Amino acid sequence: MRIEYRLLPDCERKEPPAPGAELGFGQLRTDHMFLMNYSDGGWHSPRIVPYGPLELQPGAMCLHYGQTFFEGIKAFKHADGEIYCFRADKNAERMNHSAEILCMPAIPEDMQLEAIHRLLDVDRRWCPSEPQSSMYIRPFMFATQDSLGVKPSKEYLYCVMLSPSGAYYKGGFSHAIRLLVTRKYHRAVSGGTGTAKAGGNYGASLRPQEYAKSFGADQVLYLSADNGAIEEVGTMNHYHVLKDGAFIIPDFGDSILRSVTSLSVLELAALGKARARQEVIRVDKFLDDVASGEIIEAGGFGTAAVVSPVGEYVFEDGRTLTVGNGGVGEHSRRLYEMYAAMQTGDLPAPDGWLRQVKHY
Ligand SMILES: *Cc1c(COP(=O)(O)O)cnc(C)c1O
């Protein structure tokens, strides 16, 4: 791929935050972004340009009919001073899965990876190096054709932007969240768009999220449309831990997003480094098993937090159900520490999980 570079002169580049500064999540931007257009049946004009406003026709189809999706990836600066991208090949694959579901064009995975790596290289001085900080990578694609018919757009823009982000767990791995168990709202149905990181899925999650907050919960635990099975959380897969230490993740089916974190935990299990498997999880049995102590821990898997333990389930009638001792359990902690150490190079990661960003 021949990428055009239109970079800011050094004097116009911003100063990255000083070491130790509070970065937050998703707030900061680097100097540049990657763009590539699709029209006349092909991808063209790959370029790295200064980060800034995009020009869009008011009739751009993404604004009206939601043909847009995204990915979330992390890269880490290791002790050797080099930047390593974590499992971006899995995200590139899922990007094309989302594209297929939304009738949008695929981008060859090697092209996506090159776009990400070249941009990381250009803005490498922005990659934070404090413990557990990362460069959050946000690739996305949306429809740009100026047309008001409800049909797939013929034109698209692919964009990658970067956001230096701080450690998710600043005071250590100690926070357990509360999930609202509700039969009122659903995230996805079989035959729908639940396995895509489609913008519309997240727009639709805002009202249930506000609803959860009104009950003092952090997020919603979504059930299947028939309310029989546990599906996932708005931006995380769900897991629970049995007394024997096994992590159980709901069977993906076609309404649960295939989390790269979940897939990685299952791969670690296949390598004998963890105990994990997938099952269909009936809600009633799950809640009984939490109450009886058969289930000792629970939580969510996702790129942002990696592991997010659940301390309590909340119900609309005001009842609550505590998991284990209501705090962060040992199995969740150990898995988090192993996974995070693999990302930062403090523990060897399975082959192919980390790819060093070249000095192009
Ligand atoms: C992004 C996301 C996840 C987590 O996936 P990762 O690849 O692990 O970051 C889980 N569920 C939903 C609905 C998501 O959007």
Side-chain angles (χ1 to χ4, degrees):
M1 179 165 58
R2 274 271 283 286
I3 298 172
E4 182 196 348
Y5 285 79
R6 277 201 316 266
L7 304 186
L8 285 171
D10 283 347
C11 61
E12 284 178 35
R13 296 189 186 192
K14 289 176 295 177
E15 204 46 53
E22 186 64 58
L23 304 180
F25 173 77
Q27 303 296 313
L28 292 166
R29 303 285 174 265
T30 65
D31 288 318
H32 300 95
M33 61 184 173
F34 179 95
L35 299 178
M36 181 164 68
N37 295 82
Y38 181 94
S39 58
D40 298 320
W43 288 104
H44 61 87
S45 314
R47 57 203 184 274
I48 293 178
V49 299
Y51 178 83
L54 299 167
E55 256 191 13
L56 207 58
Q57 296 297 343
M61 293 171 85
C62 65
L63 300 175
H64 303 265
Y65 310 127
Q67 252 192 319
T68 176
F69 65 87
F70 65 95
E71 272 301 329
I73 309 170
K74 279 179 176 175
F76 300 84
K77 191 181 259 181
H78 286 192
D80 63 4
E82 297 298 329
I83 300 169
Y84 294 81
C85 219
F86 186 77
R87 307 215 75 180
D89 53 327
K90 290 282 151 197
N91 298 87
E93 197 182 309
R94 192 169 64 194
M95 191 94 184
N96 286 341
H97 173 76
S98 294
E100 186 182 339
I101 287 189
L102 292 172
C103 297
M104 293 164 71
I107 305 177
E109 285 171 30
D110 56 347
M111 251 187 184
Q112 294 186 49
L113 294 177
E114 190 177 349
I116 290 165
H117 280 245
R118 294 256 184 187
L119 182 62
L120 283 168
D121 180 41
V122 163
D123 281 343
R124 65 169 60 242
R125 65 196 191 102
W126 285 88
C127 191
S129 52
E130 284 79 51
Q132 300 308 324
S133 64
S134 62
M135 183 67 95
Y136 183 77
I137 304 158
R138 170 54 59 89
F140 56 108
M141 192 202 295
F142 56 91
T144 53
Q145 188 188 349
D146 188 343
S147 171
L148 296 180
V150 179
K151 58 182 187 301
S153 171
K154 291 188 167 70
E155 294 164 13
Y156 297 90
L157 187 70
Y158 167 69
C159 179
V160 184
M161 57 193 255
L162 303 175
S163 180
S165 294
Y168 192 89
Y169 295 106
K170 285 180 250 7
F173 186 66
S174 58
H175 181 66
I177 60 169
R178 292 153 58 96
L179 294 183
L180 177 72
V181 181
T182 179
R183 291 167 169 76
K184 183 172 165 133
Y185 293 113
H186 297 89
R187 178 182 173 274
V189 292
S190 180
T193 60
T195 61
K197 260 180 131 69
N201 291 343
Y202 304 88
S205 77
L206 300 176
R207 186 169 59 142
Q209 173 70 21
E210 292 297 304
Y211 184 69
K213 290 221 174 103
S214 75
F215 292 97
D218 298 286
Q219 297 192 49
V220 175
L221 173 63
Y222 288 105
L223 308 180
S224 54
D226 65 1
N227 292 317
I230 286 183
E231 296 221 313
E232 64 172 325
V233 189
T235 56
M236 296 188 292
N237 281 174
H238 187 265
Y239 72 82
H240 64 264
V241 182
L242 302 177
K243 273 183 182 159
D244 65 2
F247 283 77
I248 314 295
I249 299 166
D251 256 345
F252 286 142
D254 78 336
S255 53
I256 296 180
L257 191 103
R258 284 166 163 67
S259 152
V260 174
T261 315
S262 293
L263 291 171
S264 301
V265 170
L266 293 166
E267 282 178 44
L268 288 173
L271 293 167
K273 293 183 189 297
R275 301 191 60 187
R277 62 177 185 269
Q278 291 189 290
E279 285 174 9
V280 172
I281 295 151
R282 310 306 304 173
V283 191
D284 294 344
K285 168 120 176 28
F286 172 80
L287 296 175
D288 286 349
D289 288 352
V290 172
S292 71
E294 284 300 312
I295 288 172
I296 56 174
E297 298 179 26
F301 288 140
T303 295
V306 179
V307 178
S308 184
V310 172
E312 207 169 51
Y313 294 91
V314 178
F315 303 88
E316 282 134 323
D317 61 6
R319 279 183 310 129
T320 59
L321 177 61
T322 303
V323 194
N325 63 10
V328 173
E330 267 322 295
H331 295 92
S332 299
R333 175 189 305 282
R334 276 207 297 274
L335 183 68
Y336 169 75
E337 285 174 354
M338 173 170 66
Y339 199 94
M342 286 176 172
Q343 290 181 316
T344 53
D346 296 314
L347 260 186
D351 279 350
W353 282 22
L354 290 165
R355 224 182 95 183
Q356 192 189 321
V357 175
K358 278 194 283 191
H359 297 257
Y360 286 96

